[in-house]
Amino acid sequence: MINDSFLDEAREVPSTTPMERVVAWSVFRSREDARKLLEHVYLAPGQSLVGGHGRDSVAPYWWVGVQVQDISQWGNVTAVHKHGRLGD
């Protein structure tokens, strides 16, 4: 069984508040939809699931991401799922 307790942590999505070594994430409008994604994520050694929940101007959200141990091993570091320093 996958541990999904990180979804209960109040933590903004990395595009709003950057999080170290988080390279990819998806945002959902329900905890149930975020939980469903966990069954389909395959992690390589040195990778782990992270996430949390927050609220934007529309409604609450939950997010699931991948955090890598060594960002230099990610390959192309410009391929990190964010644009600017704050995701803008």
Side-chain angles (χ1 to χ4, degrees), residues 9-82:
E9 296 180 33
R11 183 182 295 144
E12 292 182 327
V13 71
S15 57
T16 302
T17 303
M19 190 173 170
E20 188 176 356
R21 301 180 329 274
V22 175
V23 296
W25 57 88
S26 298
V27 178
F28 303 89
R29 288 297 175 183
S30 74
R31 187 185 192 287
E32 178 182 333
D33 286 344
R35 173 66 180 88
K36 287 178 188 176
L37 176 70
L38 302 183
E39 301 293 333
H40 305 285
V41 176
Y42 297 96
L43 300 171
Q47 298 178 350
S48 60
L49 289 172
V50 293
H53 66 89
R55 181 175 194 87
D56 61 16
S57 61
V58 176
Y61 64 81
W62 287 259
W63 67 276
V64 175
V66 175
Q67 188 172 43
V68 296
Q69 217 170 32
D70 183 354
I71 195 130
S72 69
Q73 300 225 344
W74 176 248
N76 183 354
V77 291
T78 61
V80 171
H81 179 54
K82 61 183 177 183

